[in-house]
Amino acid sequence: MTLLVIAKEPLPGRVKTRLTPPFTPQEAARLAEASLADTLRTVLALPAARRAVVLDGAPGPWLPPGIEVVPQGAGGLDERLAAAFGACTGPTLLIGMDTPQITAADLAPALSPDAWDGCDAWFGPAEDGGFWALGLAEPDPGLLRGVPMSVPETGAVQRRRLVDAGLTVRDLPRLRDVDTAADAVDVAALAPDGRFAAVLAGLTRAAVR
């Protein structure tokens, strides 16, 4: 099993721009870094032969040992996701960096010894209409190319693409992405002991002084 995390280097002005306002670009980048760090910490604890971050940018101190770095390809997000899968063989599960609340239990169905028995794909829907996880027993870039990304129907179109290809699809839990300040508050409450929650709490305290 290969576990991939698709991510952007957490630089001010390049990540989590919908958090600005109320947060500054620097604060939004700190939240993005914390979200990525929490995600990678969870990934490190999961059973996988290979763990990699598919990165747009350069690695920083947030990258723990044991995580391989793979550069993202060119093009739109659909092309970059397709390229990430295209570089893998065998069962591959890709997740985003915007769900720092993920737990081993959220991903357990796709990582169990019988996860791929009679199953070709795992799909993790997001509350905003996108998806936070996608697993393919046989990675095929063509299953992602041309899917409209970052629109309310992204998840529905992607899942339909899998079904129309004749794949047996199983679903992971529906989770909330961190896109807005309201999302950040709700997600932090779901994982109060994580780095994301700690950074958010510090920024919130500073704002009310």
Side-chain angles (χ1 to χ4, degrees):
M1 163 66 75
T2 296
L3 273 172
L4 303 176
V5 178
I6 187 90
K8 279 185 179 180
E9 181 184 359
L11 295 174
R14 292 198 66 237
V15 290
K16 294 288 129 215
T17 54
R18 289 175 61 189
L19 292 177
T20 307
F23 299 104
T24 68
Q26 290 75 20
E27 290 170 340
R30 287 183 59 197
L31 287 166
E33 180 175 335
S35 180
L36 179 53
D38 282 347
T39 301
L40 294 178
R41 186 177 67 247
T42 297
V43 165
L44 276 174
L46 298 173
R50 179 186 177 216
R51 302 171 185 83
V53 57
V54 185
L55 185 62
D56 175 4
W62 46 264
L63 181 71
I67 302 284
E68 178 186 345
V69 177
V70 178
Q72 278 189 32
L77 181 56
D78 63 316
E79 289 286 348
R80 287 178 277 139
L81 293 175
F85 276 105
C88 298
T89 57
T92 300
L93 180 64
L94 179 143
I95 63 176
M97 62 176 281
D98 299 332
T99 49
Q101 76 273 31
I102 59 166
T103 65
D106 293 324
L107 290 163
L111 297 173
S112 65
D114 60 352
W116 302 96
D117 292 350
C119 176
D120 303 304
W122 286 92
F123 185 78
E127 288 187 6
D128 64 1
F131 60 93
W132 64 272
L134 179 62
L136 297 173
E138 297 181 9
D140 177 359
L143 293 169
L144 293 106
R145 291 195 182 107
V147 173
M149 296 287 164
S150 303
V151 294
E153 62 270 22
T154 292
V157 174
Q158 181 63 77
R159 197 182 190 288
R160 173 54 54 186
R161 176 74 71 85
L162 303 175
V163 172
D164 287 348
L167 303 186
T168 299
V169 184
R170 293 178 184 163
D171 291 307
L172 293 166
R174 183 178 299 272
L175 297 182
R176 186 168 184 173
D177 283 337
V178 174
D179 289 318
T180 66
D183 293 333
V185 171
D186 287 349
V187 165
L190 294 171
D193 298 326
R195 181 173 167 186
F196 181 83
V199 170
L200 180 65
L203 294 176
T204 304
R205 283 194 298 269
V208 298
R209 287 197 188 111

